[in-house]
Amino acid sequence: MHRVFETLERARRWVRVDVRIRAALIHGSVVQGDTTPLSDLDLIVIAEPGERDAIWADRLSITDRLLGAPAAVTEVLPQRPYRWQARTLDLAMLDFTIDETYMAMWDGFEGPVEFLIDRADVQARFEQDMAAQATPSAFDARVDCDDTWGRLAKLTALTLHGRRHIARTGLHDLIGNNLLTLLDRDPYRIGSIGDAHDVQLVQQLDFIYPASSEPAELQRALMATAHWYGELLTAWAARTGKDRPTCPIEGPVTEAIQTLARSQE
């Protein structure tokens, strides 16, 4: 049994006896059933009105109690307030968030979840908020079209200038941020353990990503990325019933990548 379940049992015992806690839930790999030896426990505690700051003040002792050993704590305030992550020397890990009265949903949060305790019917409000979040505004591929082709042009220029490592890492970033968002699914979950229908997509990504910083390999990856981006735009148009986005530099960028190939001969 992975250590994360020991942390879970300590968390169960704690939330049951701490009267400052209105509800508590877990999410992430423990609930999804795909834990590893390095999985953390994703725990959200909803405090009773007026009690969040008190729990926050006790966060170091609570963390050590739940992990069973002294832990290094890092606050994750840029993402949201009252959240921290902790790890022990043997890498038992905890991701902890405190809300008050009810859970404040944030962008990117996904289920499933398991409530450890619920003293005030918090789960009903949570399920309503999750249902509302499950219908996000449709992604418009036209917004990033010019930016994507422009970044492909920049990466091609970097390769020509011999700045191959920057070009390689930049191509990874472009695929993750601009291309995967065109898929009608959550990019964060692509390739997850047990997600069998991702096999073909993962194989395609393995082919597209540059395997090295060699000029010929970068040129191949740039061309494969440009080609796949065109296919994704066409599929997005068919799926949404909108016109396929076009960009004035699409043709010139493709030609520049082809010219890069000829320069390697």
Side-chain angles (χ1 to χ4, degrees):
M1 183 176 70
H2 296 148
R3 289 173 303 173
V4 66
F5 293 103
E6 298 175 4
T7 305
L8 172 59
E9 288 310 308
R10 296 188 193 101
R12 286 187 194 277
R13 292 194 293 269
W14 170 58
V15 300
R16 287 170 182 163
V17 299
D18 194 322
V19 295
R20 301 174 298 180
I21 297 173
R22 169 172 286 203
L25 62 127
I26 57 172
H27 63 103
S29 60
V30 173
V31 184
Q32 293 161 1
D34 57 359
T35 59
T36 73
L38 292 179
S39 290
D40 61 354
L41 180 68
D42 297 289
L43 175 65
I44 300 173
V45 164
I46 295 87
E48 293 286 1
E51 295 289 353
R52 177 164 62 177
D53 286 334
I55 298 175
W56 175 256
D58 291 342
R59 63 190 180 279
L60 298 182
S61 61
I62 292 171
T63 297
D64 291 352
R65 176 179 178 179
L66 298 188
L67 290 176
V73 174
T74 303
E75 296 179 15
V76 199
L77 297 181
Q79 292 186 9
R80 61 166 297 163
Y82 298 97
R83 181 181 175 193
W84 72 94
Q85 295 170 338
R87 59 195 55 81
T88 63
L89 287 176
D90 63 350
L91 297 184
M93 293 183 278
L94 176 70
D95 188 310
F96 200 133
T97 302
I98 311 173
D99 279 323
E100 189 169 276
T101 308
Y102 64 90
M103 178 179 162
M105 203 68 65
W106 68 85
D107 290 340
F109 181 83
E110 61 177 3
V113 305
E114 176 188 334
F115 273 78
L116 306 182
I117 191 171
D118 186 2
R119 296 187 174 106
D121 204 20
V122 172
Q123 185 170 358
R125 168 74 179 266
F126 168 82
E127 290 174 351
Q128 291 176 357
D129 291 345
M130 280 293 288
Q133 182 170 280
T135 310
S137 58
F139 176 77
D140 191 339
R142 295 168 294 189
V143 173
D144 290 332
C145 189
D146 288 351
D147 175 67
T148 302
W149 287 111
R151 290 178 66 185
L152 276 169
K154 179 65 174 179
L155 293 172
T156 302
L158 287 170
T159 304
L160 279 168
H161 282 290
R163 301 176 67 183
R164 296 178 294 171
H165 177 69
I166 296 176
R168 183 185 182 191
T169 55
L171 190 53
H172 276 263
D173 181 70
L174 178 68
I175 293 169
N177 291 326
N178 288 46
L179 273 66
L180 293 183
T181 53
L182 282 167
L183 298 171
D184 189 22
R185 51 191 310 187
D186 180 7
Y188 183 75
R189 299 297 301 169
I190 292 173
S192 297
I193 297 173
D195 205 349
H197 68 285
D198 267 349
V199 172
Q200 184 175 357
L201 175 58
V202 171
Q203 290 175 343
Q204 185 170 19
L205 287 170
D206 287 342
F207 168 74
I208 292 173
Y209 283 129
S212 74
S213 299
E214 292 301 312
E217 174 60 13
L218 287 174
Q219 185 279 330
R220 182 206 63 78
L222 284 163
M223 184 56 70
T225 301
H227 179 72
W228 191 42
Y229 183 53
E231 291 182 342
L232 289 173
L233 289 176
T234 300
W236 176 86
R239 187 170 68 247
T240 62
K242 296 181 171 62
D243 292 336
R244 181 191 184 278
T246 59
C247 174
I249 65 171
E250 179 176 348
V253 171
T254 303
E255 175 61 28
I257 299 172
Q258 293 170 342
T259 300
L260 174 62
R262 291 192 290 270
S263 73
Q264 308 303 323
E265 296 176 353

